[in-house]
């Protein structure tokens, strides 16, 4: 079912990637997952593009799910720092028994700039039935020339992005809140504040600050009581609903993660409306679900950020 090219440690060999964040990050790699919905072989399917990074290498996985998420097919490979790894090429796998899907990649001059996902000078293209059904990266002309295929008639929809990051007190990343928008710098810090009690005793209370592009966007005090919640904020005059669950940061021992969800608020949506089909748990954002799609079928993008706290 799968064609493997040097599987990175953060991927399970020959298995569907686990929905358990603990399993995904068991080796300590940073992981960045983009989930797209598009039409492949006459069926609407999810395409999952996963980048991972550790101290030695970057890894890339491209997989396609069946119409109901019952099967998953794909290929994986490592971007090793040595001269002999393949910086460009293609690989084929078969879905539904007899329908070929080709993945083309070009990473000769790719720039990561310390990030898990590339920022420029690359492409990864998924081709089926002589159509480029998904194309990520900025070298689009080169991708169409190399594949010799036309763009698909239906544009893919970015359903969600999921990132796993590690830190002690401060967690930083850069991400888009809209598919066609620019990148934003996100910084989340959990710290303790000394508070004078009524009887004169100094009490230590945890609090959390979130900054976007250097500006204070969210400040949660008394975090021991408000470890789950949501709030509407404005970023570049656009409303964004932020959900957080930091329970495990405060009350669980060992390596533990908090979950943050960033959801753009559509002009016709209520800022207080709950996330459709989403729950603030470690299972949120399973790649096998049609997350980010409401009952009317309108795409609603979500960014899931898993922040792993290490001592």
């Amino acid at each position: 079912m799968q064609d493997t090219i040097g599987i990175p440690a953060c991927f399970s060999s020959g298995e569907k990637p686990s929905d358990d964040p603990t399993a995904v990050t068991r080796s300590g790699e940073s992981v960045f997952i983009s989930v797209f919905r598009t039409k492949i072989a006459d069926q609407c399917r999810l395409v999952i593009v996963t980048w991972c990074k550790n101290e030695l290498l970057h890894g890339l996985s491209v997989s396609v799910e069946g119409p109901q998420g019952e099967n998953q097919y794909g290929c994986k490979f490592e971007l090793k720092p040595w001269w002999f790894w393949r910086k460009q090429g293609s690989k084929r796998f078969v879905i539904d028994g007899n329908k070929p899907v080709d993945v083309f990649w070009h990473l000769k001059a790719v720039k990561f700039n310390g990030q898990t996902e590339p920022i420029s000078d690359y492409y990864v293209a998924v081709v089926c039935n002589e159509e480029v059904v998904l194309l990520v990266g900025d070298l689009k002309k080169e991708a169409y020339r190399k594949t010799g295929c036309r763009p698909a008639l239906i544009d893919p929809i970015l359903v969600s992005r999921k990132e796993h990051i590690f830190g002690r007190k401060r967690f930083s990343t850069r991400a888009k809140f809209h598919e066609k928008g620019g990148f934003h710098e996100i910084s989340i810090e959990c710290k303790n504040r000394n508070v004078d009690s009524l009887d004169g005793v100094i009490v230590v209370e945890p609090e959390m600050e979130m900054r976007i592009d250097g500006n204070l966007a969210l400040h949660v005090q008394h975090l021991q009581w408000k470890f789950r919640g949501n709030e509407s904020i404005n970023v570049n005059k656009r409303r964004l609903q932020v959900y957080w669950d930091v329970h495990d940061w405060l009350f669980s021992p060992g390596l533990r993660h908090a979950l943050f969800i960033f959801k753009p608020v559509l002009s016709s949506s209520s800022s207080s409306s709950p996330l459709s089909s989403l729950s603030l748990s470690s299972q949120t954002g399973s790649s096998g679900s049609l997350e980010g799609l409401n009952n009317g079928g309108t795409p609603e993008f979500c960014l899931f950020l898993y922040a792993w706290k290490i001592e």
Side-chain angles (χ1 to χ4, degrees), residues 223-295:
L223 196 60
Q224 71 274 27
W225 307 114
K226 301 177 182 179
F227 50 82
R228 293 190 183 100
N230 66 283
E231 189 168 321
S232 180
I233 64 175
N234 289 311
V235 178
N236 291 349
K237 298 182 180 180
R238 289 188 174 184
R239 280 199 302 163
L240 189 71
Q241 196 76 6
V242 180
Y243 300 77
W244 68 88
D245 182 344
V246 300
H247 175 275
D248 288 356
W249 271 3
L250 303 174
F251 305 113
S252 296
L255 181 65
R256 54 210 186 272
H257 76 276
L259 172 61
F260 299 89
I261 303 176
F262 301 84
K263 182 176 183 294
V265 178
L266 303 180
S267 57
S268 59
S269 301
S270 170
S271 62
S272 60
S273 62
L275 277 173
S276 175
S277 303
L278 296 176
S279 62
L280 288 178
S281 70
S282 61
Q283 299 300 321
T284 305
S286 165
S287 62
S289 66
L290 298 183
E291 61 191 0
L293 295 180
N294 61 18
N295 294 332

Side-chain angles (χ1 to χ4, degrees), residues 10-26:
C10 60
F11 301 122
S12 299
S13 176
E15 298 176 358
K16 181 177 178 177
S18 172
D19 291 335
D20 181 4
T22 304
V24 172
T25 58
R26 63 184 178 275

Side-chain angles (χ1 to χ4, degrees), residues 23 186 196:
I186 304 173
D196 291 329

